[in-house]
Amino acid sequence: MAAPAGDSSLLTDKLGVDIDPELLSRALTHRSYSYEHGHVPHNERLEFLGDAVLGQAVTVLLFTTNPDLDEGGLAKRRASVVSTVALAEIARGIGLGEHLKLGRGEDQTGGRDKDSILADTMEAVIGATYMSAGQDAAAALVRRLIEPLLADPDRYGAAIDPKTSLQELAAQLGFAPPVYSVDAAGPDHDRVFTATVSVADFASTGTGSSKKHSEMAAALDLWQTLSKRR
């Protein structure tokens, strides 16, 4: 059976907060692992809590640091930094994937780098932080995690609508519009979609639980590559 590959103490060092080991272990446990290991507790309840903590912390931070933004602007920025694509990127930045507890099938099909799993686990870790160290510590963790995104305003549009951002960037660079192709694998109740997007001689892939999410992940990755050429 699949097991986490990383030392969780390395993860807590990167997070910069003490989390109860039992809660952290649960936060890292995907339901596929639970199913294969006697239905041990998994992370979906912590994910539910973490989603609420994340939303509140981001809302307060954006409200207090952007006094000139109206409600629409604040809502757009909040949506971008709490999106699945953005949270998955944050998770990759701290190496979260190597610490996941996944079932064998999920592990073998690339679950450690799947946007939806990484984003959900990131929320669960935030929930575990709240339960272990309280609201202030959880809010501080959220701020540390999202500051790299907030430091680059161009990422707002790319994170919330990467396909449009990629198309606009391709046009700016004088390239033809992006071309997408999508493959799907797995049973109907747990399909995994893999998208490939190409612009000129550049290409990226992305995975997700739907065609849309896989295309968004691929588009953001290629946007990041092409944005370095501007």
Side-chain angles (χ1 to χ4, degrees):
M1 298 296 181
D7 180 351
S8 60
S9 65
L10 299 177
L11 177 60
T12 54
D13 287 344
K14 290 181 180 179
L15 293 170
V17 63
D18 289 328
I19 305 175
D20 176 80
E22 183 177 344
L23 281 173
L24 179 59
S25 178
R26 184 179 304 180
L28 298 171
T29 301
H30 188 256
R31 66 176 180 270
S32 63
Y33 183 94
S34 173
Y35 178 78
E36 294 180 4
H37 291 78
H39 299 283
V40 298
H42 55 71
N43 64 9
E44 290 182 359
R45 280 176 53 84
L46 286 172
E47 174 198 338
F48 174 80
L49 174 62
D51 176 68
V53 174
L54 172 69
Q56 181 186 46
V58 170
T59 298
V60 172
L61 177 61
L62 291 175
F63 182 87
T64 55
T65 57
N66 296 275
D68 297 327
L69 274 184
D70 61 15
E71 180 185 4
L74 289 170
K76 182 177 180 180
R77 292 195 178 189
R78 180 178 61 190
S80 71
V81 297
V82 302
S83 69
T84 296
V85 172
L87 289 175
E89 182 179 348
I90 290 170
R92 291 188 184 97
I94 60 172
L96 188 64
E98 68 185 76
H99 301 282
L100 298 179
K101 293 182 178 181
L102 301 175
R104 179 178 296 176
E106 193 67 70
D107 198 14
Q108 292 177 343
T109 56
R112 293 184 187 279
D113 196 44
K114 188 184 296 183
D115 278 8
S116 57
I117 291 179
L118 288 172
D120 291 347
T121 306
M122 195 71 258
E123 290 179 336
V125 168
I126 293 168
T129 302
Y130 179 94
M131 293 299 296
S132 296
Q135 182 174 357
D136 290 346
L141 173 62
V142 169
R143 288 194 296 271
R144 290 196 299 274
L145 292 173
I146 68 171
E147 278 175 355
L149 292 181
L150 297 178
D152 186 353
D154 286 344
R155 302 181 70 86
Y156 293 132
I160 195 170
D161 190 358
K163 293 183 68 174
T164 297
S165 296
L166 177 60
Q167 183 169 336
E168 292 174 348
L169 179 56
Q172 293 171 13
L173 295 172
F175 296 142
V179 176
Y180 293 85
S181 63
V182 181
D183 294 319
D188 290 342
H189 69 278
D190 193 23
R191 301 284 274 176
V192 176
F193 294 82
T194 301
T196 300
V197 60
S198 302
V199 172
D201 294 329
F202 301 90
S204 289
T205 60
T207 60
S209 57
S210 68
K211 178 176 180 289
K212 176 182 177 181
H213 286 154
S214 67
E215 289 181 340
M216 289 175 63
L220 181 60
D221 188 73
L222 188 53
W223 178 89
Q224 291 169 338
T225 297
L226 293 181
S227 65
K228 298 174 183 177
R229 299 178 59 87
R230 287 190 294 188

PDB file of all heavy atoms in Angstrom, residues 8-21 24 94 122 125-142 144-145:
ATOM      1  N   SER A   8       7.347  14.164   8.017  1.00  0.00           N
ATOM      2  CA  SER A   8       6.412  15.258   8.292  1.00  0.00           C
ATOM      3  C   SER A   8       7.068  16.384   9.083  1.00  0.00           C
ATOM      4  O   SER A   8       6.597  17.525   9.045  1.00  0.00           O
ATOM      5  CB  SER A   8       5.187  14.736   9.037  1.00  0.00           C
ATOM      6  OG  SER A   8       5.563  14.157  10.277  1.00  0.00           O
ATOM      7  N   SER A   9       8.158  16.105   9.805  1.00  0.00           N
ATOM      8  CA  SER A   9       8.844  17.174  10.537  1.00  0.00           C
ATOM      9  C   SER A   9       9.441  18.191   9.562  1.00  0.00           C
ATOM     10  O   SER A   9       9.526  19.394   9.877  1.00  0.00           O
ATOM     11  CB  SER A   9       9.934  16.602  11.436  1.00  0.00           C
ATOM     12  OG  SER A   9      10.971  15.996  10.681  1.00  0.00           O
ATOM     13  N   LEU A  10       9.844  17.726   8.389  1.00  0.00           N
ATOM     14  CA  LEU A  10      10.344  18.650   7.367  1.00  0.00           C
ATOM     15  C   LEU A  10       9.229  19.560   6.886  1.00  0.00           C
ATOM     16  O   LEU A  10       9.444  20.743   6.602  1.00  0.00           O
ATOM     17  CB  LEU A  10      10.936  17.866   6.193  1.00  0.00           C
ATOM     18  CG  LEU A  10      12.130  16.961   6.502  1.00  0.00           C
ATOM     19  CD1 LEU A  10      12.558  16.200   5.255  1.00  0.00           C
ATOM     20  CD2 LEU A  10      13.289  17.777   7.058  1.00  0.00           C
ATOM     21  N   LEU A  11       8.027  19.006   6.809  1.00  0.00           N
ATOM     22  CA  LEU A  11       6.882  19.802   6.375  1.00  0.00           C
ATOM     23  C   LEU A  11       6.545  20.868   7.405  1.00  0.00           C
ATOM     24  O   LEU A  11       6.320  22.035   7.054  1.00  0.00           O
ATOM     25  CB  LEU A  11       5.679  18.893   6.128  1.00  0.00           C
ATOM     26  CG  LEU A  11       4.375  19.598   5.728  1.00  0.00           C
ATOM     27  CD1 LEU A  11       4.565  20.373   4.428  1.00  0.00           C
ATOM     28  CD2 LEU A  11       3.254  18.574   5.590  1.00  0.00           C
ATOM     29  N   THR A  12       6.514  20.503   8.681  1.00  0.00           N
ATOM     30  CA  THR A  12       6.190  21.496   9.703  1.00  0.00           C
ATOM     31  C   THR A  12       7.261  22.579   9.776  1.00  0.00           C
ATOM     32  O   THR A  12       6.949  23.737  10.068  1.00  0.00           O
ATOM     33  CB  THR A  12       6.022  20.830  11.089  1.00  0.00           C
ATOM     34  OG1 THR A  12       7.193  20.052  11.394  1.00  0.00           O
ATOM     35  CG2 THR A  12       4.807  19.921  11.106  1.00  0.00           C
ATOM     36  N   ASP A  13       8.504  22.232   9.496  1.00  0.00           N
ATOM     37  CA  ASP A  13       9.556  23.251   9.438  1.00  0.00           C
ATOM     38  C   ASP A  13       9.269  24.265   8.343  1.00  0.00           C
ATOM     39  O   ASP A  13       9.449  25.475   8.532  1.00  0.00           O
ATOM     40  CB  ASP A  13      10.918  22.598   9.198  1.00  0.00           C
ATOM     41  CG  ASP A  13      11.447  21.862  10.420  1.00  0.00           C
ATOM     42  OD1 ASP A  13      10.917  22.097  11.529  1.00  0.00           O
ATOM     43  OD2 ASP A  13      12.379  21.056  10.265  1.00  0.00           O
ATOM     44  N   LYS A  14       8.827  23.780   7.188  1.00  0.00           N
ATOM     45  CA  LYS A  14       8.513  24.679   6.079  1.00  0.00           C
ATOM     46  C   LYS A  14       7.285  25.538   6.389  1.00  0.00           C
ATOM     47  O   LYS A  14       7.219  26.705   6.003  1.00  0.00           O
ATOM     48  CB  LYS A  14       8.275  23.873   4.804  1.00  0.00           C
ATOM     49  CG  LYS A  14       9.522  23.226   4.232  1.00  0.00           C
ATOM     50  CD  LYS A  14       9.203  22.469   2.948  1.00  0.00           C
ATOM     51  CE  LYS A  14      10.444  21.816   2.374  1.00  0.00           C
ATOM     52  NZ  LYS A  14      10.152  21.057   1.122  1.00  0.00           N
ATOM     53  N   LEU A  15       6.330  24.941   7.083  1.00  0.00           N
ATOM     54  CA  LEU A  15       5.119  25.679   7.435  1.00  0.00           C
ATOM     55  C   LEU A  15       5.387  26.707   8.534  1.00  0.00           C
ATOM     56  O   LEU A  15       4.686  27.715   8.632  1.00  0.00           O
ATOM     57  CB  LEU A  15       4.025  24.718   7.889  1.00  0.00           C
ATOM     58  CG  LEU A  15       3.470  23.772   6.825  1.00  0.00           C
ATOM     59  CD1 LEU A  15       2.572  22.719   7.471  1.00  0.00           C
ATOM     60  CD2 LEU A  15       2.703  24.549   5.766  1.00  0.00           C
ATOM     61  N   GLY A  16       6.379  26.439   9.379  1.00  0.00           N
ATOM     62  CA  GLY A  16       6.713  27.374  10.442  1.00  0.00           C
ATOM     63  C   GLY A  16       5.704  27.411  11.573  1.00  0.00           C
ATOM     64  O   GLY A  16       5.526  28.446  12.219  1.00  0.00           O
ATOM     65  N   VAL A  17       5.025  26.288  11.816  1.00  0.00           N
ATOM     66  CA  VAL A  17       4.027  26.228  12.881  1.00  0.00           C
ATOM     67  C   VAL A  17       3.996  24.807  13.430  1.00  0.00           C
ATOM     68  O   VAL A  17       4.226  23.837  12.708  1.00  0.00           O
ATOM     69  CB  VAL A  17       2.630  26.634  12.355  1.00  0.00           C
ATOM     70  CG1 VAL A  17       2.139  25.667  11.291  1.00  0.00           C
ATOM     71  CG2 VAL A  17       1.624  26.763  13.487  1.00  0.00           C
ATOM     72  N   ASP A  18       3.746  24.691  14.745  1.00  0.00           N
ATOM     73  CA  ASP A  18       3.635  23.374  15.362  1.00  0.00           C
ATOM     74  C   ASP A  18       2.208  22.861  15.208  1.00  0.00           C
ATOM     75  O   ASP A  18       1.248  23.528  15.635  1.00  0.00           O
ATOM     76  CB  ASP A  18       3.994  23.448  16.849  1.00  0.00           C
ATOM     77  CG  ASP A  18       5.475  23.687  17.080  1.00  0.00           C
ATOM     78  OD1 ASP A  18       6.282  23.218  16.250  1.00  0.00           O
ATOM     79  OD2 ASP A  18       5.822  24.363  18.072  1.00  0.00           O
ATOM     80  N   ILE A  19       2.066  21.690  14.607  1.00  0.00           N
ATOM     81  CA  ILE A  19       0.764  21.070  14.421  1.00  0.00           C
ATOM     82  C   ILE A  19       0.772  19.732  15.129  1.00  0.00           C
ATOM     83  O   ILE A  19       1.742  18.970  15.019  1.00  0.00           O
ATOM     84  CB  ILE A  19       0.449  20.870  12.923  1.00  0.00           C
ATOM     85  CG1 ILE A  19       0.561  22.192  12.164  1.00  0.00           C
ATOM     86  CG2 ILE A  19      -0.940  20.282  12.736  1.00  0.00           C
ATOM     87  CD1 ILE A  19       0.380  22.053  10.665  1.00  0.00           C
ATOM     88  N   ASP A  20      -0.273  19.448  15.870  1.00  0.00           N
ATOM     89  CA  ASP A  20      -0.392  18.162  16.539  1.00  0.00           C
ATOM     90  C   ASP A  20      -0.142  17.035  15.535  1.00  0.00           C
ATOM     91  O   ASP A  20      -0.755  17.004  14.475  1.00  0.00           O
ATOM     92  CB  ASP A  20      -1.796  18.026  17.130  1.00  0.00           C
ATOM     93  CG  ASP A  20      -2.023  16.673  17.767  1.00  0.00           C
ATOM     94  OD1 ASP A  20      -1.580  16.481  18.895  1.00  0.00           O
ATOM     95  OD2 ASP A  20      -2.637  15.803  17.092  1.00  0.00           O
ATOM     96  N   PRO A  21       0.794  16.122  15.827  1.00  0.00           N
ATOM     97  CA  PRO A  21       1.152  15.078  14.856  1.00  0.00           C
ATOM     98  C   PRO A  21      -0.034  14.252  14.367  1.00  0.00           C
ATOM     99  O   PRO A  21      -0.114  13.897  13.184  1.00  0.00           O
ATOM    100  CB  PRO A  21       2.154  14.218  15.632  1.00  0.00           C
ATOM    101  CG  PRO A  21       2.758  15.141  16.633  1.00  0.00           C
ATOM    102  CD  PRO A  21       1.639  16.054  17.034  1.00  0.00           C
ATOM    103  N   LEU A  24      -1.995  16.416  11.962  1.00  0.00           N
ATOM    104  CA  LEU A  24      -1.268  16.579  10.709  1.00  0.00           C
ATOM    105  C   LEU A  24      -1.356  15.310   9.873  1.00  0.00           C
ATOM    106  O   LEU A  24      -1.557  15.369   8.661  1.00  0.00           O
ATOM    107  CB  LEU A  24       0.196  16.934  10.980  1.00  0.00           C
ATOM    108  CG  LEU A  24       1.077  17.121   9.740  1.00  0.00           C
ATOM    109  CD1 LEU A  24       0.532  18.221   8.841  1.00  0.00           C
ATOM    110  CD2 LEU A  24       2.510  17.423  10.149  1.00  0.00           C
ATOM    111  N   ILE A  94       5.868  23.976  -1.214  1.00  0.00           N
ATOM    112  CA  ILE A  94       6.358  23.471   0.070  1.00  0.00           C
ATOM    113  C   ILE A  94       6.563  21.956   0.021  1.00  0.00           C
ATOM    114  O   ILE A  94       6.792  21.328   1.060  1.00  0.00           O
ATOM    115  CB  ILE A  94       5.398  23.844   1.226  1.00  0.00           C
ATOM    116  CG1 ILE A  94       4.000  23.253   1.002  1.00  0.00           C
ATOM    117  CG2 ILE A  94       5.330  25.350   1.398  1.00  0.00           C
ATOM    118  CD1 ILE A  94       3.082  23.435   2.199  1.00  0.00           C
ATOM    119  N   MET A 122      -4.036  21.088   1.189  1.00  0.00           N
ATOM    120  CA  MET A 122      -3.560  22.360   1.716  1.00  0.00           C
ATOM    121  C   MET A 122      -4.594  22.961   2.654  1.00  0.00           C
ATOM    122  O   MET A 122      -4.258  23.472   3.741  1.00  0.00           O
ATOM    123  CB  MET A 122      -3.284  23.312   0.544  1.00  0.00           C
ATOM    124  CG  MET A 122      -2.450  24.537   0.882  1.00  0.00           C
ATOM    125  SD  MET A 122      -0.717  24.142   1.217  1.00  0.00           S
ATOM    126  CE  MET A 122      -0.692  24.201   3.014  1.00  0.00           C
ATOM    127  N   VAL A 125      -4.552  21.025   5.933  1.00  0.00           N
ATOM    128  CA  VAL A 125      -3.420  21.414   6.779  1.00  0.00           C
ATOM    129  C   VAL A 125      -3.732  22.722   7.508  1.00  0.00           C
ATOM    130  O   VAL A 125      -3.404  22.885   8.683  1.00  0.00           O
ATOM    131  CB  VAL A 125      -2.141  21.544   5.935  1.00  0.00           C
ATOM    132  CG1 VAL A 125      -1.022  22.218   6.728  1.00  0.00           C
ATOM    133  CG2 VAL A 125      -1.686  20.169   5.450  1.00  0.00           C
ATOM    134  N   ILE A 126      -4.383  23.643   6.821  1.00  0.00           N
ATOM    135  CA  ILE A 126      -4.793  24.895   7.466  1.00  0.00           C
ATOM    136  C   ILE A 126      -5.801  24.605   8.578  1.00  0.00           C
ATOM    137  O   ILE A 126      -5.731  25.182   9.673  1.00  0.00           O
ATOM    138  CB  ILE A 126      -5.381  25.871   6.436  1.00  0.00           C
ATOM    139  CG1 ILE A 126      -4.283  26.325   5.466  1.00  0.00           C
ATOM    140  CG2 ILE A 126      -6.026  27.084   7.118  1.00  0.00           C
ATOM    141  CD1 ILE A 126      -4.812  27.068   4.246  1.00  0.00           C
ATOM    142  N   GLY A 127      -6.727  23.684   8.310  1.00  0.00           N
ATOM    143  CA  GLY A 127      -7.682  23.289   9.338  1.00  0.00           C
ATOM    144  C   GLY A 127      -7.000  22.652  10.534  1.00  0.00           C
ATOM    145  O   GLY A 127      -7.364  22.917  11.690  1.00  0.00           O
ATOM    146  N   ALA A 128      -6.011  21.804  10.288  1.00  0.00           N
ATOM    147  CA  ALA A 128      -5.267  21.173  11.376  1.00  0.00           C
ATOM    148  C   ALA A 128      -4.491  22.209  12.189  1.00  0.00           C
ATOM    149  O   ALA A 128      -4.367  22.084  13.421  1.00  0.00           O
ATOM    150  CB  ALA A 128      -4.311  20.125  10.806  1.00  0.00           C
ATOM    151  N   THR A 129      -3.979  23.229  11.514  1.00  0.00           N
ATOM    152  CA  THR A 129      -3.282  24.309  12.214  1.00  0.00           C
ATOM    153  C   THR A 129      -4.230  25.051  13.141  1.00  0.00           C
ATOM    154  O   THR A 129      -3.895  25.361  14.293  1.00  0.00           O
ATOM    155  CB  THR A 129      -2.663  25.285  11.201  1.00  0.00           C
ATOM    156  OG1 THR A 129      -1.768  24.580  10.342  1.00  0.00           O
ATOM    157  CG2 THR A 129      -1.919  26.402  11.904  1.00  0.00           C
ATOM    158  N   TYR A 130      -5.428  25.319  12.647  1.00  0.00           N
ATOM    159  CA  TYR A 130      -6.438  26.002  13.462  1.00  0.00           C
ATOM    160  C   TYR A 130      -6.752  25.186  14.712  1.00  0.00           C
ATOM    161  O   TYR A 130      -6.806  25.729  15.828  1.00  0.00           O
ATOM    162  CB  TYR A 130      -7.699  26.213  12.633  1.00  0.00           C
ATOM    163  CG  TYR A 130      -8.828  26.892  13.376  1.00  0.00           C
ATOM    164  CD1 TYR A 130      -8.992  28.279  13.309  1.00  0.00           C
ATOM    165  CD2 TYR A 130      -9.734  26.163  14.133  1.00  0.00           C
ATOM    166  CE1 TYR A 130     -10.033  28.911  13.986  1.00  0.00           C
ATOM    167  CE2 TYR A 130     -10.770  26.773  14.817  1.00  0.00           C
ATOM    168  CZ  TYR A 130     -10.916  28.141  14.733  1.00  0.00           C
ATOM    169  OH  TYR A 130     -11.936  28.761  15.414  1.00  0.00           O
ATOM    170  N   MET A 131      -6.946  23.883  14.537  1.00  0.00           N
ATOM    171  CA  MET A 131      -7.296  23.025  15.678  1.00  0.00           C
ATOM    172  C   MET A 131      -6.124  22.878  16.642  1.00  0.00           C
ATOM    173  O   MET A 131      -6.323  22.734  17.849  1.00  0.00           O
ATOM    174  CB  MET A 131      -7.729  21.647  15.179  1.00  0.00           C
ATOM    175  CG  MET A 131      -9.028  21.642  14.394  1.00  0.00           C
ATOM    176  SD  MET A 131     -10.433  22.225  15.374  1.00  0.00           S
ATOM    177  CE  MET A 131     -10.505  20.949  16.645  1.00  0.00           C
ATOM    178  N   SER A 132      -4.899  22.919  16.138  1.00  0.00           N
ATOM    179  CA  SER A 132      -3.717  22.721  16.984  1.00  0.00           C
ATOM    180  C   SER A 132      -3.269  23.997  17.681  1.00  0.00           C
ATOM    181  O   SER A 132      -2.899  23.968  18.865  1.00  0.00           O
ATOM    182  CB  SER A 132      -2.555  22.181  16.150  1.00  0.00           C
ATOM    183  OG  SER A 132      -2.825  20.914  15.634  1.00  0.00           O
ATOM    184  N   ALA A 133      -3.248  25.084  16.938  1.00  0.00           N
ATOM    185  CA  ALA A 133      -2.601  26.299  17.439  1.00  0.00           C
ATOM    186  C   ALA A 133      -3.518  27.516  17.511  1.00  0.00           C
ATOM    187  O   ALA A 133      -3.100  28.572  17.977  1.00  0.00           O
ATOM    188  CB  ALA A 133      -1.385  26.629  16.565  1.00  0.00           C
ATOM    189  N   GLY A 134      -4.751  27.390  17.030  1.00  0.00           N
ATOM    190  CA  GLY A 134      -5.698  28.483  17.153  1.00  0.00           C
ATOM    191  C   GLY A 134      -5.816  29.349  15.915  1.00  0.00           C
ATOM    192  O   GLY A 134      -5.074  29.205  14.937  1.00  0.00           O
ATOM    193  N   GLN A 135      -6.765  30.272  15.961  1.00  0.00           N
ATOM    194  CA  GLN A 135      -7.107  31.102  14.809  1.00  0.00           C
ATOM    195  C   GLN A 135      -5.962  32.006  14.383  1.00  0.00           C
ATOM    196  O   GLN A 135      -5.692  32.155  13.184  1.00  0.00           O
ATOM    197  CB  GLN A 135      -8.339  31.948  15.131  1.00  0.00           C
ATOM    198  CG  GLN A 135      -8.802  32.816  13.967  1.00  0.00           C
ATOM    199  CD  GLN A 135     -10.108  33.536  14.277  1.00  0.00           C
ATOM    200  OE1 GLN A 135     -10.706  33.344  15.330  1.00  0.00           O
ATOM    201  NE2 GLN A 135     -10.550  34.361  13.353  1.00  0.00           N
ATOM    202  N   ASP A 136      -5.285  32.622  15.328  1.00  0.00           N
ATOM    203  CA  ASP A 136      -4.211  33.552  14.975  1.00  0.00           C
ATOM    204  C   ASP A 136      -3.076  32.841  14.244  1.00  0.00           C
ATOM    205  O   ASP A 136      -2.542  33.351  13.252  1.00  0.00           O
ATOM    206  CB  ASP A 136      -3.671  34.249  16.224  1.00  0.00           C
ATOM    207  CG  ASP A 136      -4.664  35.236  16.820  1.00  0.00           C
ATOM    208  OD1 ASP A 136      -5.648  35.571  16.126  1.00  0.00           O
ATOM    209  OD2 ASP A 136      -4.462  35.645  17.975  1.00  0.00           O
ATOM    210  N   ALA A 137      -2.704  31.662  14.727  1.00  0.00           N
ATOM    211  CA  ALA A 137      -1.629  30.911  14.083  1.00  0.00           C
ATOM    212  C   ALA A 137      -2.045  30.456  12.689  1.00  0.00           C
ATOM    213  O   ALA A 137      -1.242  30.475  11.755  1.00  0.00           O
ATOM    214  CB  ALA A 137      -1.243  29.705  14.933  1.00  0.00           C
ATOM    215  N   ALA A 138      -3.302  30.055  12.548  1.00  0.00           N
ATOM    216  CA  ALA A 138      -3.788  29.614  11.245  1.00  0.00           C
ATOM    217  C   ALA A 138      -3.816  30.780  10.261  1.00  0.00           C
ATOM    218  O   ALA A 138      -3.442  30.636   9.089  1.00  0.00           O
ATOM    219  CB  ALA A 138      -5.174  28.993  11.379  1.00  0.00           C
ATOM    220  N   ALA A 139      -4.275  31.946  10.728  1.00  0.00           N
ATOM    221  CA  ALA A 139      -4.303  33.118   9.864  1.00  0.00           C
ATOM    222  C   ALA A 139      -2.892  33.538   9.463  1.00  0.00           C
ATOM    223  O   ALA A 139      -2.652  33.939   8.315  1.00  0.00           O
ATOM    224  CB  ALA A 139      -5.017  34.270  10.567  1.00  0.00           C
ATOM    225  N   ALA A 140      -1.953  33.450  10.395  1.00  0.00           N
ATOM    226  CA  ALA A 140      -0.561  33.791  10.085  1.00  0.00           C
ATOM    227  C   ALA A 140       0.001  32.830   9.051  1.00  0.00           C
ATOM    228  O   ALA A 140       0.747  33.237   8.143  1.00  0.00           O
ATOM    229  CB  ALA A 140       0.280  33.766  11.353  1.00  0.00           C
ATOM    230  N   LEU A 141      -0.328  31.551   9.158  1.00  0.00           N
ATOM    231  CA  LEU A 141       0.117  30.574   8.170  1.00  0.00           C
ATOM    232  C   LEU A 141      -0.438  30.914   6.796  1.00  0.00           C
ATOM    233  O   LEU A 141       0.296  30.888   5.797  1.00  0.00           O
ATOM    234  CB  LEU A 141      -0.328  29.172   8.580  1.00  0.00           C
ATOM    235  CG  LEU A 141      -0.084  28.064   7.550  1.00  0.00           C
ATOM    236  CD1 LEU A 141       1.407  27.906   7.254  1.00  0.00           C
ATOM    237  CD2 LEU A 141      -0.687  26.747   8.030  1.00  0.00           C
ATOM    238  N   VAL A 142      -1.713  31.245   6.728  1.00  0.00           N
ATOM    239  CA  VAL A 142      -2.323  31.607   5.448  1.00  0.00           C
ATOM    240  C   VAL A 142      -1.591  32.796   4.832  1.00  0.00           C
ATOM    241  O   VAL A 142      -1.282  32.795   3.639  1.00  0.00           O
ATOM    242  CB  VAL A 142      -3.816  31.931   5.627  1.00  0.00           C
ATOM    243  CG1 VAL A 142      -4.393  32.559   4.349  1.00  0.00           C
ATOM    244  CG2 VAL A 142      -4.596  30.665   5.978  1.00  0.00           C
ATOM    245  N   ARG A 144       1.502  33.745   5.250  1.00  0.00           N
ATOM    246  CA  ARG A 144       2.816  33.325   4.746  1.00  0.00           C
ATOM    247  C   ARG A 144       2.693  32.554   3.436  1.00  0.00           C
ATOM    248  O   ARG A 144       3.528  32.705   2.542  1.00  0.00           O
ATOM    249  CB  ARG A 144       3.533  32.457   5.790  1.00  0.00           C
ATOM    250  CG  ARG A 144       3.998  33.211   7.006  1.00  0.00           C
ATOM    251  CD  ARG A 144       5.015  32.401   7.801  1.00  0.00           C
ATOM    252  NE  ARG A 144       4.474  31.142   8.301  1.00  0.00           N
ATOM    253  CZ  ARG A 144       3.808  31.009   9.438  1.00  0.00           C
ATOM    254  NH1 ARG A 144       3.566  32.065  10.200  1.00  0.00           N
ATOM    255  NH2 ARG A 144       3.388  29.813   9.835  1.00  0.00           N
ATOM    256  N   LEU A 145       1.659  31.755   3.326  1.00  0.00           N
ATOM    257  CA  LEU A 145       1.497  30.923   2.136  1.00  0.00           C
ATOM    258  C   LEU A 145       1.113  31.734   0.905  1.00  0.00           C
ATOM    259  O   LEU A 145       1.569  31.443  -0.209  1.00  0.00           O
ATOM    260  CB  LEU A 145       0.435  29.850   2.389  1.00  0.00           C
ATOM    261  CG  LEU A 145       0.786  28.755   3.406  1.00  0.00           C
ATOM    262  CD1 LEU A 145      -0.425  27.879   3.664  1.00  0.00           C
ATOM    263  CD2 LEU A 145       1.954  27.917   2.914  1.00  0.00           C
TER     264      LEU A 145
END
